[in-house]
Amino acid sequence: MIGAGQAGLSAGYHLRRAGIGFVMFDHAPRAGGAWQHRWPTLTLGKAHRIHDLPGMPLGEHDPARPAARVVSEYFARYEAAFDLPVHRPADVTSVTDAPDGRLLVRSSDGAYLVRALVNATGTWDKPFWPYYPGMETFRGRQLHTADYRGPHEFAGRRVVVVGGGASATQALVEIAEVAAGTAWVTRRPPVWREGPFDDQRGRAAVARVEERVRRGLPPGSVVGATGLLLTDEMRAARERGVLDRLPMFERITPAGVVWADGTAIEADVILWATGFRAALDHLAPLRLRGPGGGIAVDGTRVAADPRIHLLGYGPSASTIGANRAGRAAVREIVRLLVGRSPGTTGTGGNEPRVRVVTPV
């Protein structure tokens, strides 16, 4: 298994219960998945709902604590409680076909032959930077939300925030408190939603993304499918004009951004909150991508290669989708490897009854 975030830990739990021997590679220095990289001002109360991992609830926590700290501690407890064999930091460089029908996984921790692969690398390591004419001429600072560490470094600056997702609005509202001025730019008008984001809404959003990956198209954003939550904080920001959205500019100049009609805004900083792409470069030797640019997936299983399951890709790129995907992937792996009914599980012990991984 590659990746020890929400999806990877969920799959690890179910592999343990099924009695399947496995090893987990995670390139981060500690537990926490992508959550460990979130900025300190993103508190648990501001974060999207974090679903419990199977077998161990997150429990009650102070909503004012940084989400990165709470979730990292939770994931560390989870790894220890279920004795998950996480190798870290370990970078997987490539996955190729072996002559005997297995997969050869090469990593900084050594090479392994495996009969099945769960890829749960998510997207955090692949921030997406769109190109606009003149980007290279801008005299100010450009950064992605992957590098955002809080509003303090933008004090007194004129900041343009680009992107229509939750990360964009969360950062924008914070930055507006200290900046000399802000502008919010998105390709499409934002869609705000009222009320709680319950499981029914979550399942509907996941289903929309799932349809895309089933057809082999690049996955859309699950968060984009959910809309933006109109919290009291966001309502107040809208009333102050902070969330007055502008359409996308045409080009970037040394001093700022310019629209097609000649309207210009001067800026010291451009923050690109433009999302991420799936971190799948290590799978390139397997040539899994289809004509549509994505990888066709049936549930979690790669349609062209039943040995491989993608978690955190498309519909499983959310905490609710990740949990479901971990369970579903293991059910399919059990059926592939040992021929048991996918509803059957093992004893839950730590000693594997089926060995899948062989160090080379």
Side-chain angles (χ1 to χ4, degrees):
M1 185 187 309
I2 309 173
Q6 181 102 11
L9 295 180
S10 174
Y13 169 86
H14 290 290
L15 284 168
R16 272 279 187 245
R17 287 180 56 82
I20 304 294
F22 66 102
V23 64
M24 301 175 71
F25 303 100
D26 189 62
H27 79 139
R30 60 185 181 276
W35 283 99
Q36 66 190 273
H37 305 296
R38 305 292 185 181
W39 53 96
T41 50
L42 178 63
T43 61
L44 194 65
K46 293 179 181 179
H48 281 294
R49 179 183 173 188
I50 301 166
H51 287 258
D52 293 337
L53 284 161
M56 178 188 289
L58 172 64
E60 296 296 325
H61 289 272
D62 180 358
R65 289 193 71 204
R69 188 175 305 168
V70 173
V71 177
S72 294
E73 292 169 355
Y74 175 42
F75 284 10
R77 292 196 307 272
Y78 194 86
E79 289 180 13
F82 296 105
D83 193 24
L84 300 182
V86 183
H87 293 221
R88 69 161 59 90
D91 293 310
V92 172
T93 55
S94 69
V95 180
T96 57
D97 279 306
D100 63 359
R102 289 183 290 179
L103 295 163
L104 177 60
V105 178
R106 291 185 174 90
S107 79
S108 58
D109 194 53
Y112 294 78
L113 287 166
V114 304
R115 294 165 60 192
L117 176 71
V118 174
N119 190 93
T121 46
T123 63
W124 185 261
D125 296 318
K126 295 281 287 187
F128 174 64
W129 293 71
Y131 177 78
Y132 283 86
M135 282 182 73
E136 65 282 357
T137 71
F138 184 59
R139 290 195 297 261
R141 180 188 178 196
Q142 298 185 65
L143 73 159
H144 193 276
T145 44
D147 303 308
Y148 179 70
R149 293 296 175 266
H152 59 277
E153 56 189 317
F154 303 100
R157 303 289 185 178
R158 299 164 298 178
V159 182
V160 174
V161 177
V162 183
S167 294
T169 57
Q170 289 165 354
L172 175 63
V173 170
E174 292 184 347
I175 291 169
E177 295 290 335
V178 299
T182 60
W184 183 31
V185 180
T186 71
R187 286 190 302 156
R188 292 181 293 272
V191 177
W192 297 95
R193 60 176 175 81
E194 301 270 3
F197 185 66
D198 55 22
D199 288 345
Q200 183 176 355
R201 283 187 173 183
R203 285 191 293 270
V206 168
R208 288 195 291 274
V209 180
E210 190 169 21
E211 175 59 26
R212 287 184 57 84
V213 298
R214 187 179 291 113
R215 291 185 285 140
L217 299 173
S221 166
V222 172
V223 174
T226 65
L228 295 167
L229 178 60
L230 192 56
T231 63
D232 291 341
E233 182 183 37
M234 293 299 161
R235 285 192 183 90
R238 285 210 307 184
E239 291 173 3
R240 298 196 307 271
V242 172
L243 296 176
D244 289 346
R245 169 259 178 187
L246 297 170
M248 277 306 304
F249 45 76
E250 182 183 67
R251 66 187 187 277
I252 300 173
T253 69
V257 296
V258 179
W259 281 260
D261 64 0
T263 301
I265 290 180
E266 293 188 349
D268 303 302
V269 180
I270 301 174
L271 173 60
W272 296 94
T274 43
F276 299 79
R277 297 294 183 263
L280 301 175
D281 290 353
H282 53 285
L283 299 182
L286 298 174
R287 301 182 181 277
L288 301 176
R289 292 193 183 275
I295 300 175
V297 175
D298 181 7
T300 63
R301 185 181 66 246
V302 173
D305 194 330
R307 298 170 299 176
I308 302 171
H309 289 260
L310 299 184
L311 277 60
Y313 180 80
S316 58
S318 66
T319 54
I320 183 173
N323 273 2
R324 293 168 55 196
R327 180 176 64 250
V330 172
R331 285 165 61 92
E332 294 286 346
I333 289 171
V334 168
R335 180 159 54 188
L336 173 71
L337 298 180
V338 297
R340 289 192 277 116
S341 164
T344 305
T345 60
T347 61
N350 289 337
E351 184 62 28
R353 292 183 294 107
V354 178
R355 296 195 179 275
V356 180
V357 180
T358 305
V360 176

